[in-house]
Every structure is written in C-alpha cells, then in structure tokens.
Amino acid sequence: MQRNEIIDFLKNRVELFRGFDTARLEQLLDGSRATTFEQSEAVIEFGSRGHFLGVLLDGELSVSVVDDEGIRRELGRIEAGRIFGEMALMTGDRTMADVVCLVRCEVLLIPDAVFMATVMTTPDAVMQLSRLLTDRAKQVAYDQNRRGLADRAEVQDADPHGFALQSRRPHLLLVVNCGSSSLKYSLFDTDRPADRAEGIVERIGDDARHRTGGETVSVSCATHEEAFHLMVADLIAKKRIRSAADITAVGHRVVHGGEQFSAAAVIDDAVAGQIGELTALAPLHNPVNLKGIELARAAFPAAVHVAVFDTTFHHTLPPYAYLYGLPYRYYEKRGVRRYGFHGTSHAYVSLRAAQFLKRPYNSLEIVTCHLGSGASVCAVDHGRSVDTSMGFTPTAGLLMGTRSGDVDPGALAFIAQQDNLDGAALDSLVNRRSGLLGISGISNDMRELEAAAANGEHRALLAIKTFCYTLRKYIGAYVAAMQGIDAVVFTGGIGENSAGVRYLACQGLACMGIAIDEAKNKEACGRAEPVDISAADSRVKVLVVPTDESLMIARDTLQAVEREMARTDGMGQAKIPLEVSAHHVHLSAAHVALLFGEGHRLTPVSELSQPGQFACAEKVDLIGPKGTVKNVRVLGPDRAETQVEISMTEQFKLGIHPPIRESGDLAGTPGLRLAGPAGTVELDKGVICAMRHIHMSPHDALTMGLRDRYVVRVVVEGDRELVFGDVMVRVSPAYRLAMHIDTDEANAAGIGGDAVGHIESIQSRA
Ligand code: AMP
C-alpha cells in the first residue's frame, strides 16, 4: 500500500484511529514501518517482548499457542483492519501466543516509542485499548494457567531481565561510581548497549592516573571536580558524546540507602538531603557518593540523576534476619540492624543465573557468593534477598582482604580493653589489618596467597582455608534459611577466578546436592559469560557468573527514568482501597472430598470482592506440630492445589515457618494437617504467608502506568502516613482494584476498614 492509502485505511478501517486527524496519522507513519510477511511466517513469536503495535493492512493472521501436551491450539484469527500485539506492549508481559500468517500479509508495525507518543496520548484511544485489553485477556486462561504460560514465556525470552537496555526513547546513560580517591565511569548508549565506554581516574590528589580503553596515563588531578572534567574530555575524545549536554541520564552508585530507599531513586534536593543524612550509617562512603552527585548535577544539569543503592536489594530481609540480639532501642533509635551490601551484584548475578538456567527467576532458591576484596554471601529466595552476610557495616560475614568478617563481639571488647583501643583504632583493626592479611601476615590478595601457599607458607594456606570454611558454612546456613537450594553462584575477583576457592567452598556439600566437576571448575576462570561447573550428578547447579554492576546500575537507572516519565505524565494517583485478608484455605476438589465427604459441594455464603470468588460455610482446623488454629474459613471455588494462607503470628502458634510467597507459588513450602468433619488431610506443602498484593484490572494498570508482577510501594493515608514496600501488582480482567494486606500488619498499623492507598513508586519489575 502507498502512504496515502495507508492513511485512508487507518482512518476508515481501524477503529482505534477513527478520531485521529491526518497530521497525527502522518506523525504515526513517520516512525512506523509497513512490511510484508509470507504465508506461514511468524509476525510475533511466543515469549517475545512487545516492542510494537501491529495493524494488519491486508491478509489474515492466526493466533495460536502450544498447550502442555504439546498440541497447537488456535485461539483466534485476525482480519485486515484489526490491531495486534497490544497486550504485550501495554502489559509488559511477554507475548503469550504465536501470530502467524495464513496467507501473505501486509502489516504496519508501530514501534513502542511512537505508540506511546501518539496513541497513548489520545484519551479515546486509551479507553478503547483498555476495553480491548480486557476482552482479549479474558480469552487467555488467566491466573493458574497463565502463570505457567508466563513462566514459559520468561524462559524463552532472550532478555527477560532488561539487560539489553531496551527503552522507549534512546538514552545516553552515564554510570558513575565515586570513591574516596577515584571516579569510575561507564557510558551506555541504549541503541548499542554492548558497546560501552569505560574509564577510571584513580589516586585523585596523589599521583593521579587515568585508565581508559586499555591505556593508563599519569594526569594532574587534585580534586573530584577535575576528575569529572577528565571523564567528559575522554568521552568527547572517544566521540561518544559531543558535549556534556548529550548525556540524558546519570546513574550514581550510592553505598547506603538505609531503611528509606527500597528502590533506585530519582535524585532531587530532598533525595540528595536524605543521602546526606545517611552519612551517620556510612561515614566513609555516602559523603563521597553525595559529592559525586553534586558534581554530576552541576556538570549534567539537563540529565535525570538516579541513585542506585548497594542496600536496596536486601530490603526484603525479614526482621528476624536483620535484627541483632541487642536492646531493641538500638534498632529503633540508631538504626542498628543488618542492612547488607553488594546488593547490585547479588541481584545481577542471580538474575543472570536464572536467565542462564532458563528458569523463572521467581521460582529459584539461589545462594550468591560475591567474593572480591570485599566479600559477601546472599540467600535469594524466589527473587527476594532473605539473608546476607554483611551487616550494619560491610565488615561482617566472611573474612575479606583486610576486613575481619564475623568476630565474637566479646573478643573485640576484650581486645579494646587489653590494648587500650578507642573506637577509631578498633575500627581500623577490623577493617584494615584483619581478614586474609591479618591471618596470613603476607597479603590481602588472594592471588599472592595462593602462590605463597603453593610455596609452603603455612599461614597463607591457613588464611585461604579459613576463608573457604567460613564460606562453606554460610552456604549451608542459607540452604537452611531458604529450606532448599537450586543454584550456587560464584562471582567477584576471587569467585570468578579462583578455582581453588570454589573447590574448597563446595567440598563436602554433596550431602546438600552440591557437587562440582573439577575439570569444568578449572576451566571456568576469567570468562565473560556464565559457566556451569556442576558435576553431572549434582542436583544443584553451581555457576560462575561474572558480575557487572555498571550494567545493573544502568538498567535500574533506565527503569527509574521511565518510571519518572510515567509519573510526570500524571499516572499513578488512583486511590486503592485496602482490604485485610484474614487467614483462609483454598482446597483442591480431592481435599474437599476427604475433609467434607465424597461428593460434597462447597457452600457459598458470601461473594468476595474479587469476582468469582466466594467465602464458604465450610471451615477446617489447621494442626501444626506445636498448636492448632481452629475454624479457618474455606474460600471457593476449588483450585488445582490446596493452599493455606496464615498470618505471621499464627506461624508461632502452629510451629511452622512458611515463606512469604505469591499465591500459587507453593514449591518448597511447608505443609500441616487439615481436619474437617469427614476426615483429615496431611499436606506435604502448601502453607504460605501471602505476599502483599494489589488486584487490578488491565484498565487500572494502564492508567497507573503499572504492569502485571511489578513490585511497588504504596502510601496509605491516615493519621500518620505509612508506606508499604514489596507489594506485588497482579493484573487480570477478573480483578477489582484492592490491596490485600495481612491481618497482623493491619492491626499493627491501626488500619481500619475504609483505608485507601496510592502508588508511591515502582520498586522492581519481576
Ligand atoms: P575484586 O574486588 O572483585 O576486584 O576482587 C579482588 C580479589 O580477587 C583479590 O583478592 C584478587 O587477588 C582476587 N583475584 C583476582 N584474580 C584472581 C585469580 N586469578 N586467582 C585468585 N584470585 C584472584
């Protein structure tokens, strides 16, 4: 079709564009592409990300999916004049079907950015799309079935976690890591993300040097401000930018985000102020990070600046994992608790591991070992950090190059008294003179220690052994913390390069299903891509995954920038009613029969707020190893698998310890006994504490700029404002807008029946 024919076609044949004037359609066509596909060719493949809206100009398309039995089922047909691809485009989900040409087809492909700029800014079109989205979504089997499909789509996606930096608009993203005497930088072009420019200015103020593009040169650089000039000059010399004004966004690594920051934050004066206030918790790092932010805001005034914190990934630690056995007031008044660090690296390598293993991220139990000059271990349970070895400071956990790691606090008090050390001297002892250096007396560098140990230096060997033994204990502890394990991941200078450390750390863990293949392990050093080093019979995958904190910061920065765009477009202000979910049970049909008698049908007594769901007259008792919770209501209709949702306090009463999970995600959860009038059922799994969640329709999601499975923060209005982090968004046409929280939480926060909340920010995108 010619251009004017396409314009006529869009105006007269495509419902979505009826209200568009010619100028707007011209604008739309300028950024779009009309193209031809042959018979049987796929226009969209199952599992791909939605990057365009399609309009069928001529021909006919078939929409189909392969079911669990491997049989292809046709879901429907698309005729000329219809649009397609809108689901994936608007929900952010991967495409859940194949769209294939039945005959030769002519198609108009409207890219994401053009779609956002033209269609999504037209209120009538947004209304139409949301109606269409609701109708289409109903055709796809939702909820339980959809989860399986979404998981399959995730693992087939070449870039499930956004590391290809695909964005609605092109960006030049600068990642800045400002240390006490260094400035490290990386520049990413979202059009060519693999081709980044990097450099570091080191020893600022003292014999400075600039390393970039494989070269190191001595430079005159007395201050961080001068280092910024060197960086900009370098990027201009490399023709990556024409001037500082080309940079559209800057991602800043910030060490400490305290309890305030549960996500990357767009920096304004208030955020900069808060980062400054956190200096009390990170006196060595936050001031210099803040200095970098101030210099960058002056150097790149038009760019969006984003702080990406080392601590945010660990925001999901439960209180029993982050509290110390100190008087509670130290936590309340002084913020003394475990925060954890290296979060960017733990998040990155765990995501990469899931991608490498072709498994859904939220289904895995992973222990990540970041072993560099600083070292920490993290338990990543279904995509959430639930424990980590660093604590209030980065000194805790594993012994490191010069940091002690865990030491009996009584021993430190003893040393301080004996040697008359004040706080600063003690701090210096445990941070600068301990760890590998302290034990070996030779070096803090693992390479040098390995060489010394090979030469028979007894204390070098002892330092390595102590390091690996501590690491092995942490791995074992985190298997216990997560009650299972699918993968162990090694990263960081030591983790990526020392086969000896990996071998010693995993030695004897075959009892947990962890075994490495020594030949593969030896070969796995210094690679750019993840490597599987597990033995053939190892139940658990052992991987070496090179970390890339700059890329992770770039990804988080890009996501924060896009969120900010959505926010300034006025999205996200809808009021969300809060509902308190009391404990309840969903039963499978087989369990209904066992508990209430063969042939028994559940008796609905009242509708629940979510359409199709109802509370039943039936109740069951929950019997745990320690105690019983009586008369827990059954909710209908019945489900494929029995699921019991209890509150936090009931855990103690029952004597079981279920994880926080999404509804339906029951792998590895504990069981208990259910007792009904006709009999009992012994569950071997199925008990969860439900993750906070918001139910919403596709239309709600669209107008709030959210997508299914986003994790958000919600502000609840009231006498005092409360912020709930870690709230999972679930989108389905069957849902009515409501946020569900646990009874205990509602009681603790004094939330009554008519409370409402609104979205404060998006924490992450699953
Ligand atoms: P990072 O802080 O991640 O750069 O890691 C630094 C640590 O990695 C130092 O202890 C190095 O000695 C160690 N490292 C680097 N390469 C190797 C290697 N080939 N074998 C053993 N350790 C290494």
Side-chain angles (χ1 to χ4, degrees):
M1 271 189 211
Q2 300 299 318
R3 188 181 166 93
N4 52 357
E5 287 175 305
I6 297 180
I7 290 186
D8 277 349
F9 184 92
L10 295 180
K11 230 189 230 169
N12 300 318
R13 296 276 308 274
V14 186
E15 192 60 35
L16 185 65
F17 301 118
R18 273 199 205 281
F20 282 48
D21 58 23
T22 308
R24 208 166 180 74
L25 289 173
E26 293 271 5
Q27 186 194 351
L28 190 113
L29 276 198
D30 283 343
S32 306
R33 187 163 64 94
T35 181
T36 308
F37 290 84
E38 297 305 322
Q39 185 180 1
S40 302
E41 202 178 344
V43 183
I44 301 180
E45 280 178 273
F46 178 87
S48 59
R49 291 266 188 189
H51 294 308
F52 61 80
L53 177 74
V55 183
L56 184 59
L57 301 173
D58 191 26
E60 191 174 13
L61 298 165
S62 165
V63 185
S64 65
V65 66
V66 177
D67 67 16
D68 288 341
E69 276 89 50
I71 300 165
R72 182 169 291 281
R73 283 188 301 121
E74 186 167 74
L75 301 173
R77 299 237 169 142
I78 295 171
E79 283 145 20
R82 294 262 310 272
I83 59 170
F84 57 94
E86 74 290 338
M87 286 277 281
L89 194 60
M90 292 187 296
T91 61
D93 278 350
R94 293 149 192 95
T95 310
M96 299 289 190
D98 295 304
V99 179
V100 178
C101 299
L102 290 166
V103 291
R104 188 165 206 257
C105 290
E106 195 174 352
V107 171
L108 180 71
L109 301 177
I110 304 170
D112 198 348
V114 179
F115 171 76
M116 290 309 281
T118 54
V119 186
M120 290 302 280
T121 47
T122 310
D124 269 359
V126 172
M127 248 345 262
Q128 258 197 61
L129 279 170
S130 75
R131 251 183 267 127
L132 185 72
L133 198 63
T134 307
D135 289 346
R136 290 263 169 100
K138 279 181 188 155
Q139 294 165 11
V140 183
Y142 246 86
D143 264 346
Q144 306 293 335
N145 295 346
R146 194 165 174 283
R147 189 185 165 93
L149 270 183
D151 287 353
R152 253 170 58 205
E154 176 177 333
V155 303
Q156 287 185 18
D157 187 342
D159 179 35
H161 307 302
F163 295 123
L165 302 182
Q166 298 231 5
S167 63
R168 295 202 185 285
R169 295 178 196 162
H171 280 286
L172 279 175
L173 291 171
L174 181 65
V175 173
V176 171
N177 183 351
C178 208
S180 57
S181 63
S182 66
L183 171 68
K184 207 171 151 198
Y185 58 90
S186 310
L187 182 76
F188 293 85
D189 181 343
T190 53
D191 286 339
R192 300 180 289 155
D195 188 17
R196 73 181 87 164
E198 289 188 304
I200 178 167
V201 184
E202 294 171 308
R203 303 209 299 241
I204 297 169
D206 172 27
D207 191 18
R209 56 191 190 182
H210 190 174
R211 280 198 283 145
T212 174
E215 276 180 26
T216 304
V217 287
S218 286
V219 284
S220 150
C221 180
T223 62
H224 280 86
E225 191 170 0
E226 288 174 24
F228 266 80
H229 290 307
L230 287 169
M231 168 179 76
V232 172
D234 176 42
L235 294 173
I236 292 174
K238 288 200 182 111
K239 298 203 167 30
R240 296 308 187 109
I241 55 173
R242 285 161 303 171
S243 74
D246 282 353
I247 306 273
T248 51
V250 185
H252 296 265
R253 177 192 177 216
V254 179
V255 166
H256 217 306
E259 291 200 316
Q260 290 92 316
F261 293 105
S262 59
V266 171
I267 301 171
D268 55 16
D269 291 343
V271 168
Q274 281 177 293
I275 293 170
E277 282 162 22
L278 287 166
T279 294
L281 297 180
L284 292 180
H285 296 105
N286 274 35
V288 66
N289 297 155
L290 189 58
K291 183 166 190 181
I293 289 171
E294 282 162 2
L295 289 171
R297 287 176 87 192
F300 312 107
V304 184
H305 292 259
V306 177
V308 179
F309 303 91
D310 269 13
T311 47
T312 51
F313 184 56
H314 305 302
H315 235 259
T316 41
L317 255 60
Y320 53 79
Y322 70 62
L323 281 177
Y324 292 124
L326 292 170
Y328 196 69
R329 67 172 186 281
Y330 286 100
Y331 164 61
E332 279 188 305
K333 302 262 186 285
R334 304 253 175 88
V336 178
R337 51 160 282 183
R338 181 187 305 281
Y339 290 99
F341 299 89
H342 287 151
T344 305
S345 179
H346 289 297
Y348 176 80
V349 296
S350 56
L351 286 163
R352 269 281 190 236
Q355 181 181 3
F356 176 78
L357 294 171
K358 296 199 176 305
R359 299 273 302 276
Y361 186 50
N362 288 352
S363 73
L364 291 171
E365 284 152 355
I366 308 175
V367 174
T368 48
C369 311
H370 178 107
L371 315 175
S373 27
S376 67
V377 194
C378 179
V380 188
D381 187 4
H382 292 239
R384 299 150 48 86
S385 165
V386 293
D387 209 345
T388 188
S389 60
M390 283 180 168
F392 177 66
T393 71
T395 318
L398 301 174
L399 68 155
M400 306 171 217
T402 60
R403 295 186 201 138
S404 65
D406 294 339
V407 180
D408 173 0
L412 295 179
F414 173 81
I415 292 171
Q417 278 160 7
Q418 295 281 311
D419 287 6
N420 222 349
L421 301 184
D422 62 8
L426 198 59
D427 193 74
S428 161
L429 172 69
V430 294
N431 281 307
R432 287 178 230 248
R433 289 185 285 134
S434 297
L436 295 172
L437 175 67
I439 294 184
S440 70
I442 295 174
S443 170
N444 60 344
D445 189 308
M446 186 56 85
R447 262 170 307 200
E448 290 176 18
L449 290 180
E450 287 184 340
N455 277 334
E457 291 280 357
H458 155 74
R459 278 189 24 215
L461 185 61
L462 194 56
I464 298 171
K465 277 189 160 172
T466 314
F467 180 85
C468 297
Y469 174 69
T470 320
L471 176 57
R472 193 189 320 143
K473 282 203 295 187
Y474 265 106
I475 295 173
Y478 288 171
V479 174
M482 295 188 290
Q483 301 169 39
I485 179 149
D486 299 294
V488 179
V489 176
F490 289 98
T491 194
I494 300 171
E496 291 168 36
N497 295 299
S498 174
V501 166
R502 294 191 297 253
Y503 176 77
L504 279 179
C506 292
Q507 200 177 39
L509 294 187
C511 59
M512 295 178 179
I514 302 168
I516 60 179
D517 177 310
E518 206 20 50
K520 286 190 202 160
N521 182 34
K522 282 201 179 114
E523 280 166 22
C525 294
R527 305 275 195 84
E529 292 297 319
V531 186
D532 181 354
I533 58 166
S534 17
D537 60 353
S538 180
R539 191 182 51 72
V540 175
K541 290 288 176 196
V542 186
L543 306 178
V544 180
V545 180
T547 195
D548 192 343
E549 289 162 282
S550 300
L551 178 57
M552 188 73 191
I553 294 174
R555 182 199 92 137
D556 286 357
T557 300
L558 184 62
Q559 293 189 348
V561 168
E562 294 202 327
R563 240 165 28 220
E564 182 68 4
M565 273 161 46
R567 200 182 62 78
T568 49
D569 288 348
M571 290 171 160
Q573 290 312 312
K575 297 254 179 279
I576 304 167
L578 254 69
E579 292 175 3
V580 179
S581 10
H583 58 204
H584 60 264
V585 176
H586 303 276
L587 293 174
S588 67
H591 289 165
V592 171
L594 286 169
L595 293 163
F596 298 99
E598 203 55 53
H600 183 89
R601 299 285 296 266
L602 292 173
T603 330
V605 289
S606 60
E607 290 291 318
L608 295 179
S609 65
Q610 299 310 321
Q613 295 218 15
F614 49 88
C616 305
E618 289 79 0
K619 291 178 178 174
V620 292
D621 294 345
L622 312 181
I623 304 165
K626 191 165 141 229
T628 302
V629 175
K630 287 198 164 301
N631 293 325
V632 176
R633 189 165 303 275
V634 175
L635 302 189
D638 48 44
R639 290 202 178 177
E641 272 190 300
T642 292
Q643 174 174 313
V644 180
E645 293 178 36
I646 60 174
S647 71
M648 307 277 179
T649 40
E650 283 164 345
Q651 295 183 9
F652 296 101
K653 196 161 178 203
L654 291 164
I656 52 171
H657 195 69
I660 295 177
R661 287 280 175 85
E662 261 184 87
S663 181
D665 179 8
L666 305 181
T669 55
L672 46 59
R673 188 188 307 158
L674 300 179
T680 60
V681 167
E682 204 67 57
L683 291 180
D684 58 356
K685 63 169 185 179
V687 187
I688 60 169
C689 280
M691 191 170 177
R692 293 172 201 140
H693 54 277
I694 304 176
H695 288 281
M696 63 177 69
S697 68
H699 179 254
D700 296 326
L702 207 56
T703 47
M704 284 190 249
L706 298 174
R707 293 169 175 188
D708 192 31
R709 297 199 124 96
Y710 273 19
V711 178
V712 295
R713 286 160 58 86
V714 177
V715 180
V716 175
E717 296 151 15
D719 295 344
R720 66 195 168 99
E721 200 179 78
L722 284 166
V723 181
F724 286 96
D726 231 2
V727 186
M728 170 78 84
V729 171
R730 296 315 317 269
V731 182
S732 159
Y735 289 159
R736 196 179 61 76
L737 186 63
M739 169 164 154
H740 288 185
I741 60 169
D742 177 275
T743 320
D744 296 335
E745 275 179 339
N747 289 342
I751 289 171
D754 51 359
V756 291
H758 64 262
I759 306 288
E760 189 220 38
S761 60
I762 299 171
Q763 233 172 287
S764 60
R765 303 159 189 226

